[in-house]
Amino acid sequence: DSGVTQTPKHLITATGQRVTLRCSPRSGDLSVYWYQQSLDQGLQFLIQYYNGEERAKGNILERFSAQQFPDLHSELNLSSLELGDSALYFCASSAPSRDEQFFGPGTRLTVL
Amino acid sequence: GEDVEQSLFLSVREGDSSVINCTYTDSSSTYLYWYKQEPGAGLQLLTYIFSNMDMKQDQRLTVLLNKKDKHLSLRIADTQTGDSAIYFCAERPYNQGGKLIFGQGTELSVKP
C-alpha cells in the first residue's frame, strides 16, 4: 500500500457525460500527479499540482481539468466523455524535495 | 524529443537472473525509474537512479545506467514466480516539474 488513495475504484458511464476522480496524497506530500494508462497510448502524464498550484502540464485534453484543494487532495474532472477516454487513471504523489513518486491503485473508467 | 523504449516480453526460469532493458532519448533526464505493475494493481516504485550515477544496487535489484548510450537496465537476481509482472522504465526530463515519461512496459514471465 503506497498511502495514496483514489476513489472510485471503478466508474462506468456513457458518452457525453462528466465524471470526477478523486485522489488523496500520502501524508506530508505536496505534489500530486495524474497519469492515464490506456492500451493504445500506454502511460501518459496529464498534469502536476504542487501545494495547490499547477506545476507541469502534459498532453491533457481541454475537456479534462484538475485542481488541488487546500487539504491537498486533488480531483480530475473529465467532461464530454468519449469512448476513447476509457482507461485507468492513476494519481501519484511526492514529498517536497524528494524524487520518488508513489502511485495510487487507480480508477478504471469505462465509457459506453 | 522524449521517448522511452523497452522490449515487450521476457521469459526466464525461476532462480535465473532477469535483465530488462530500456533506452531513452532525452539526454537532459535527471532521474530514471523502474516501476512494477502486477495485474489489476497500481505501479510500485522499485528503484531509481540519478543520472550522474552508473550503478545502484538494492538487495536483488541492480540498475545499470550508460548515459552515453542512453541505456538503462534492471537486473533481478534469483528471479521468483512472484516477480512475474510488467516492468516500466521512466525518465524524468529536466525542468518539467515531476513529469515522468514511461516506456511501454516489459512483461516478465517467470516459469517454475
Side-chain angles (χ1 to χ4, degrees):
Chain A
D1 184 354
S2 67
V4 179
T5 60
Q6 290 186 246
T7 56
K9 202 172 168 72
H10 300 278
L11 200 45
I12 302 174
T13 188
T15 53
Q17 295 298 304
R18 173 190 165 95
V19 296
T20 297
L21 313 185
R22 185 189 165 103
C23 167
S24 293
R26 296 183 322 152
S27 175
D29 287 1
L30 298 185
S31 275
V32 168
Y33 311 80
W34 286 98
Y35 292 85
Q36 180 195 58
Q37 185 178 34
S38 63
L39 279 173
D40 52 345
Q41 303 265 26
L43 262 163
Q44 300 272 320
F45 169 77
L46 296 177
I47 199 162
Q48 175 195 358
Y49 279 83
Y50 177 84
N51 204 20
E53 301 287 324
E54 184 182 304
R55 175 62 68 91
K57 207 164 182 174
N59 295 329
I60 186 166
L61 299 171
E62 284 198 15
R63 300 184 285 109
F64 295 3
S65 65
Q67 53 184 323
Q68 186 179 27
F69 294 87
D71 68 352
L72 302 175
H73 91 272
S74 178
E75 292 180 358
L76 179 67
N77 299 296
L78 315 176
S79 62
S80 303
L81 285 166
E82 302 175 1
L83 296 177
D85 298 327
S86 295
L88 257 174
Y89 290 85
F90 287 109
C91 168
S93 72
S94 65
S97 303
R98 296 300 303 256
D99 307 299
E100 307 100 320
Q101 286 184 30
F102 296 93
F103 280 70
T107 293
R108 182 171 291 282
L109 174 67
T110 303
V111 182
L112 300 174
Chain B
E2 303 166 342
D3 196 19
V4 178
E5 297 280 338
Q6 299 177 240
S7 51
L8 294 181
F9 300 101
L10 177 65
S11 181
V12 300
R13 290 236 169 256
E14 195 173 20
D16 288 350
S17 289
S18 309
V19 179
I20 303 171
N21 294 300
C22 168
T23 56
Y24 60 98
T25 55
D26 189 347
S27 57
S28 76
S29 288
T30 54
Y31 289 90
L32 295 128
Y33 300 78
W34 285 103
Y35 281 88
K36 175 184 180 183
Q37 186 177 32
E38 295 179 88
L43 283 86
Q44 175 194 351
L45 176 63
L46 291 177
T47 187
Y48 66 104
I49 188 167
F50 186 47
S51 59
N52 72 351
M53 297 170 63
D54 50 22
M55 185 179 110
K56 182 178 179 182
Q57 186 146 7
D58 185 358
Q59 299 183 334
R60 292 191 297 125
L61 305 179
T62 303
V63 177
L64 294 178
L65 175 60
N66 181 327
K67 198 170 178 183
K68 175 175 160 290
D69 294 338
K70 300 192 193 75
H71 182 267
L72 183 74
S73 67
L74 174 71
R75 178 177 179 268
I76 306 172
D78 186 26
T79 314
Q80 302 297 308
T81 53
D83 295 322
S84 293
I86 300 177
Y87 290 79
F88 290 93
C89 161
E91 63 169 346
R92 180 175 161 187
Y94 173 72
N95 217 21
Q96 293 192 42
K99 170 184 176 180
L100 296 184
I101 299 166
F102 284 86
Q104 320 91 298
T106 299
E107 184 175 345
L108 174 65
S109 172
V110 182
K111 301 196 184 315

